[in-house]
Amino acid sequence: MKKIVIIVVISFIILLYLFTLKINITVNSDNVKVFDNYNEDISSCLEDIFGFCLFKLPVNIEGNVDTNVIGNYKITYESKILFKNKKIEKEIKVYDDEPPVITVDKDVIESCPNKNGDITYKAVDNYDNDITDKVTKEVIDNKYVLKVSDSSNNETILEIPIEYKDNEKPTIKLKGSSIVYLKIGEKYNEYGYTAIDNCLGDITNRVKISGNVDSNKAGKYTITYSVSDDLNNKIEVTRTVYVYNKNPDIPVGDKVIYLTFDDGPSSYTNTLLDTLKKYNVKATFFVTSNGSDSTIKRAYQEGHSIGIHSYSHKYNEIYKSEEAFFKDVDKVNNRIKRITGEYSRILRFAGGSSNTVSRFNKGIMSRLSKEVELRGYKYFDWNVSSSDTITNDSNKIANNVIKSLRKGNNVVLQHDTKYGSVKAVEQIIQYGLSHGYVFASLNVTSPTVHHAINN
Ligand SMILES: [Zn+2]
């Protein structure tokens, strides 16, 4: 009987002990920063009342943590044994606490006083990637304040100082040429201008003009255009206006230009005659077999001198002998007589008296230069070369002539067979008349301009 009691008591104690057994699940884990590794340490035990782990139990996990995506993740852990069951739930946050990064191209923005300058920036976030379009830009106290927040509300503020300055001068662009030639009595009309400033843009209406032109008085006039920006950066440009007198019919003064044209006439000669007429300038044409008779006739009728150059212009033929030379001269002079009604007495040697192409006939130029004078001709070389056989650029040709002009007699060599040279004539005339030169044609009484003989 006593034995039974003991068994019952012991059984009761065992039952009591078994009744106190419980499942204990422990999970060690923390919230995790986005893109970091997620770690959890899980254990589950069947424990007695004294906390003694009797068995380790398997844990069934439901749910997972995606560390690449910000959010809250619920995970359940469950262990079971016999009639016992334990379930715990845990929430893990995948979070972002890293603010975006704003980068700018410059540490200081230099800007016009009336503007804020351009700023180029980029905002990149570790999680949201490029969020440049979310950046707000404000100018506060001479600073650009750039602000941006990522999707987790991490904010970045960047301040870039603005340095206001303007050292650049405006520019003035003249309409029309910066050198203007006006025939006396011709009214000067302002061609206009535009002024542009780097900061202010078009400031044409601020331009001040000074200087005036008395178009009834020959001379050089300067018109000055000036403009300033807001920081007193000033620019000044000038236009020169030459008012010239009409070319006189008879040369006066000690600055004379004799324009001479060899090798023609040509299809350009009529244009040239138009230009000469416009300025009342008389020139000299040393003609050949080229061109039409009517052109020579027109030149003659308009008061230009017609001179002998060469009929064939073939050096190896005309410088073969004195006889051959004068035969060629007669041929071209007959042409002149037929057209103009008179023989010419002025002459220019093909290649000039200084030519060396005739050296195949030793001494021919020395002999011819004397012989032509004995036969009543006056020959002319030149002392101003246009180099129109080297270039066809009319500006260059005009400059070649203009830079060589000097006081006294200027005999200019050009060819009316060259279009560029014909085109250059107007510039040469305008320059000459504006700078005190008069233009005249050559005749037997004109001053002698001879080269040194080289053969
Ligand atoms: Zn020639």
Side-chain angles (χ1 to χ4, degrees), residues 233-251:
N233 296 303
K234 193 178 172 184
I235 182 92
E236 208 174 86
V237 302
T238 60
R239 189 185 326 257
T240 309
V241 179
Y242 291 98
V243 176
Y244 60 84
N245 277 312
K246 184 175 160 249
N247 193 51
D249 293 328
I250 298 158

Side-chain angles (χ1 to χ4, degrees), residues 262-263 309 313:
D262 289 8
D263 295 1
H309 192 36
H313 210 291

